[in-house]
Amino acid sequence: LVSLVLDCASPRPPAPPVPDPALRAALIERAAKDQADMQALAAHWEDSSYHRTMHATLVANAQWLDSVVSARGWPGIAVADSDGTQAAFLIAQHADSVSAAQRRFLTALRAAVAGQDAPPANLAYLEDRVRRADGRPQLYATQPDFDKQGNAVTPPVEAPESLDIRRVRVGLKPMAEYLAQMNATNAQLRAMSPPPKK
């Protein structure tokens, strides 16, 4: 009888995620290093040492996040808070040179979004990033192409007739508005850049 009762007992639900301030801090610190190196590279684009430093940071961050995701799953809002999971997304988005890890991040982020533990827009960006690397049409057109004048244009997308519906569902602006904003920002940056040396 005891055995029968034990067999019929419903399994315990998994324990809820516990906030991890140390993990959150590590994610934010690594994302900050990514951004600092990116800014330094932009200011010293012709110096190859800055490219090497940026590459080393991106690889180290990707490998570290891969170990976290392999052990614990995606560091979502419940564990790393909003800014921590946003930092994890930045690291994943910039992990192009560690493509196998980036694909694992995509799988883990899908699960987190399905559990409402990460922003759907982050998944849209990473989904498109991986699709673009694979040479496949994007779903949300978050990674635009550029024409000869340097203007952002819509890249090849799957089911283009429903693109804006998909974008709005994950919290992104309609495509025309997104491109207009991006091109306005690019025009401002070009105006601020010094003229090329003759």
Side-chain angles (χ1 to χ4, degrees):
L1 181 60
V2 173
S3 175
L4 181 60
V5 170
L6 290 175
D7 289 344
C8 294
S10 59
R12 291 182 179 177
V18 177
D20 188 336
L23 175 59
R24 172 179 171 266
L27 286 162
I28 292 170
E29 181 179 349
R30 284 178 175 273
K33 177 76 164 66
D34 171 303
Q35 293 298 282
D37 285 358
M38 199 77 73
Q39 290 175 6
L41 175 59
H44 304 88
W45 187 254
E46 296 178 359
D47 187 335
S48 61
S49 67
Y50 285 87
H51 289 268
R52 290 193 296 272
T53 298
M54 183 81 256
H55 178 74
T57 295
L58 298 181
V59 170
N61 279 353
Q63 291 173 340
W64 174 82
L65 182 60
D66 196 22
S67 68
V68 171
V69 169
S70 296
R72 307 178 56 171
W74 185 258
I77 298 168
V79 169
D81 212 339
S82 299
D83 51 0
T85 202
Q86 190 66 29
F89 160 70
L90 178 74
I91 293 169
Q93 188 79 345
H94 291 172
D96 304 301
S97 58
V98 193
S99 58
Q102 192 174 55
R103 283 161 177 73
R104 289 191 288 272
F105 299 154
L106 178 59
T107 299
L109 183 54
R110 281 181 186 143
V113 169
Q116 300 183 332
D117 197 28
N122 288 0
L123 179 58
Y125 273 87
L126 190 56
E127 183 80 57
D128 280 353
R129 190 87 165 204
V130 170
R131 281 173 166 260
R132 184 172 190 136
D134 290 344
R136 293 183 292 151
Q138 297 176 38
L139 283 178
Y140 303 94
T142 61
Q143 314 293 301
D145 286 340
F146 293 87
D147 63 19
K148 293 180 180 179
Q149 289 72 44
N151 295 314
V153 296
T154 304
V157 292
E158 194 171 300
E161 68 281 357
S162 56
L163 173 60
D164 277 344
I165 295 173
R166 291 194 300 277
R167 287 180 61 87
V168 171
R169 280 181 182 162
V170 297
L172 299 175
K173 296 177 180 179
M175 196 63 197
E177 189 176 341
Y178 176 62
L179 292 176
Q181 182 180 28
M182 180 171 286
N183 287 324
T185 300
N186 288 345
Q188 289 178 343
L189 292 174
R190 285 196 294 268
M192 292 167 55
S193 300
K197 295 179 181 178
K198 294 184 179 180

